Amino acid sequence: RVLPIPFLAYSWWASRAAFFALSTNLRYVCAVSLWVPMVMNVYWFHMLVAGALKQLSKGDEDGDAQEGDADGDGQSTGKGKSKSGGSKAKGEVLKSATSTPTG
């Protein structure tokens, strides 16, 4: 969708005499609306390329991102969890699940 844009721009420029022969209302509609799909296609192409580059830049040296590792430091952080307290909290839960109420 982005590739033919230069050709379309050239064809508009080459047919400018026919454009000026149109009525004023039709000329206004063409001037306001014909460029919108091309601008939107360029914007979507930019978003697509930016997303692809973002996905390609994620991961560690081997190219594999660990699940839940948002910043690539090897420690998984979920919503509401801190990096430092994650393993400590798991140990406390395990300890409380295996111990008796008296001790």
Side-chain angles (χ1 to χ4, degrees):
R1 293 178 184 243
V2 175
L3 190 63
I5 289 176
F7 175 73
L8 290 172
Y10 170 75
S11 67
W12 286 348
W13 181 79
S15 64
R16 64 188 179 277
F19 177 75
F20 288 118
L22 296 173
S23 67
T24 305
N25 292 338
L26 190 55
R27 212 176 334 159
Y28 178 75
V29 169
C30 290
V32 170
S33 63
L34 285 178
W35 57 272
V36 173
M38 288 191 295
V39 171
M40 291 175 67
N41 283 331
V42 169
Y43 175 69
W44 292 328
F45 182 73
H46 165 72
M47 289 178 50
L48 183 121
V49 169
L53 290 175
K54 184 178 177 182
Q55 288 296 321
L56 290 173
S57 67
K58 284 185 179 178
D60 58 3
E61 293 174 1
D62 296 335
D64 297 330
Q66 293 182 3
E67 188 172 330
D69 184 13
D71 55 1
D73 66 351
Q75 295 181 354
S76 176
T77 56
K79 290 183 180 178
K81 295 180 184 176
S82 67
K83 290 182 185 180
S84 60
S87 60
K88 184 178 178 183
K90 288 179 185 176
E92 293 295 323
V93 170
L94 183 61
K95 188 189 304 182
S96 66
T98 57
S99 65
T100 60
T102 57

